[in-house]
Amino acid sequence: MIRLVAFDNNGTIFDDYDITFGGVVKIYEYFNLDPPTKEQHRNEATSDFMKFYHDHGFSTCDPKEEKALAWIVGEIFWSYNRANIHKARFRPDVAKTVLELKIMGISTAVVSAMEEFKLVDVIDRYG
């Protein structure tokens, strides 16, 4: 018997992948580099995001420079994300699916790297 269904938030139930990838493109534009494709990003980006950037055109550097580079990359990405996140929406059937699971007595959970208060705000804002 199924007791719990866990959903990943970003890019799965919350359709924000175009915004995420847009932030990646902005980073590459800032450094005058050709960005990777969406498919490359989707298949290769991990929590070690700097490895992805190094694998796709960024030069390796010493640890002090790497820290500064990671900060710049993060600032560009999150600035773009904050300016555009209002364009993202939960996928159309998410609320209905969660309600049906609740009616069936199945608990649901949302897994995200987003800070909890931000995630709760997003879920409340979009129902």
Side-chain angles (χ1 to χ4, degrees):
M1 174 179 198
I2 297 173
R3 294 184 186 173
L4 172 71
V5 174
F7 297 96
D8 178 46
N9 186 49
N10 298 91
T12 304
I13 62 172
F14 192 59
D15 190 8
D16 63 345
Y17 184 70
D18 285 339
I19 293 158
T20 296
F21 187 69
V24 171
V25 170
K26 288 295 179 189
I27 291 164
Y28 277 84
E29 288 174 356
Y30 179 87
F31 289 101
N32 295 313
L33 296 169
D34 290 329
T37 66
K38 269 187 175 182
E39 184 176 338
Q40 288 171 316
H41 182 260
R42 190 183 313 266
N43 292 333
E44 300 172 31
T46 66
S47 61
D48 183 1
F49 64 94
M50 289 308 296
K51 179 183 181 326
F52 175 81
Y53 290 106
H54 289 304
D55 288 349
H56 292 277
F58 280 54
S59 300
T60 56
C61 48
D62 69 50
K64 187 176 181 180
E65 291 173 328
E66 181 75 5
K67 186 174 181 180
L69 178 60
W71 185 85
I72 293 167
V73 164
E75 285 297 306
I76 295 166
F77 178 83
W78 289 111
S79 175
Y80 183 85
N81 189 283
R82 282 189 298 273
N84 291 281
I85 197 67
H86 67 279
K87 298 173 187 174
R89 297 288 182 260
F90 278 97
R91 297 199 186 273
D93 289 341
V94 170
K96 179 181 172 191
T97 300
V98 171
L99 179 60
E100 288 176 6
L101 290 168
K102 184 177 181 178
I103 289 169
M104 295 167 52
I106 299 172
S107 298
T108 58
V110 175
V111 179
S112 178
M114 190 182 293
E115 293 173 311
E116 183 179 357
F117 76 94
K118 291 179 183 176
L119 179 60
V120 169
D121 181 56
V122 168
I123 291 171
D124 287 345
R125 190 173 339 131
Y126 295 104

